[in-house]
Amino acid sequence: MNAWIAIGATALGCYAVKLAGLLVPAGALERPVIRRLAALLPVALLAALTAQQTFADGRTLVLDARAAGLAAAAVVLLLRAPFLLVVAAAVVVTAGVRAMGAG
């Protein structure tokens, strides 16, 4: 029963957030600072999610094969490779490090 209460509360919260977004005046959204923040927010959120998924294991910080894969992806990204190559490099390096038993 508590799970259904949590689901209902989450649904109401999501609806309230969407409604709050619709109620923001258009003039406020046209400000340069707000536009810049809106453009940078997804990047910051994605970086935070990537860091959390790479360096966290439950409640502790870890440094394992995922970090090597992320480092490989960063190197390939600096070389301006296509996105699929970046993902492939991360996968190959992570799998290689795990195959060597280091992660």
Side-chain angles (χ1 to χ4, degrees):
M1 187 65 177
N2 286 339
W4 286 108
I5 293 172
I7 290 171
T10 303
L12 286 175
C14 290
Y15 183 76
V17 168
K18 287 187 79 111
L19 185 62
L22 292 174
L23 295 176
V24 173
L29 298 176
E30 295 298 323
R31 293 181 181 168
V33 173
I34 299 298
R35 298 186 98 188
R36 183 162 169 78
L37 283 175
L40 294 176
L41 193 59
V43 175
L45 182 61
L46 189 58
L49 288 171
T50 301
Q52 194 273 336
Q53 290 294 317
T54 303
F55 299 112
D57 185 21
R59 301 184 76 157
T60 61
L61 292 176
V62 295
L63 192 61
D64 58 7
R66 295 175 295 178
L70 183 63
V75 169
V76 175
L77 195 60
L78 286 175
L79 297 174
R80 299 189 181 271
F83 181 71
L84 284 178
L85 192 58
V86 172
V87 173
V91 168
V92 167
V93 169
T94 302
V97 170
R98 284 185 176 165
M100 290 188 301

